[in-house]
Amino acid sequence: MSFDSHGSPRERRAVATIERTAAAGPLDLLGRVPYGRLATSMRALPFLTVARHIVSDGRILLRMHRGFGHHEACDGSVVAYGADNYNGAASGDGGNLWSVQFTGPAEVVRLRPEQEELFGAAPVSVNGEPYAPAYLLVDPHFVTEHRLDF
């Protein structure tokens, strides 16, 4: 997957096809769950928001709701993103829990329709308003993984 910038610094778009690739270690775990949490700050206040993710070529592509403007706060900034399988029930028969967190720079990107399809169905609404997708590309610089073994 490659992304090139076109137009103004505030307008970027993807120009290559996104292909799913096998990543090793913690990034591979992200492929096992569809959603995670994005953290950064907006007007000097920290916030968390939910995002749908895809791992490709060692980078993470996020889809989030455009209506809150969170994607704009992240554009050009370092963000943190995390996902886990904590919804899964840990059992005594070897069911282990894990979480992955990473930080890195994010940039807003535009996708072609066939690239958007990789995310699957989008929500219909968010807090009662129509869902409008925005996409971020994050290059993970620091990655951590935590496991709870049962």
Side-chain angles (χ1 to χ4, degrees), residues 22-32 100 143 145 147:
L27 293 182
D28 187 42
L29 293 174
L30 288 179
R32 298 180 186 181
V100 173
V143 181
E145 171 187 349
R147 291 184 182 262

Side-chain angles (χ1 to χ4, degrees), residues 83-99:
D84 57 60
N85 71 341
Y86 292 167
N87 289 356
S91 65
D93 62 353
N96 298 322
L97 300 177
W98 54 264
S99 68

Side-chain angles (χ1 to χ4, degrees), residues 65 122-131:
H65 178 53
V124 174
S125 65
V126 175
N127 296 341
E129 68 178 65
Y131 182 82

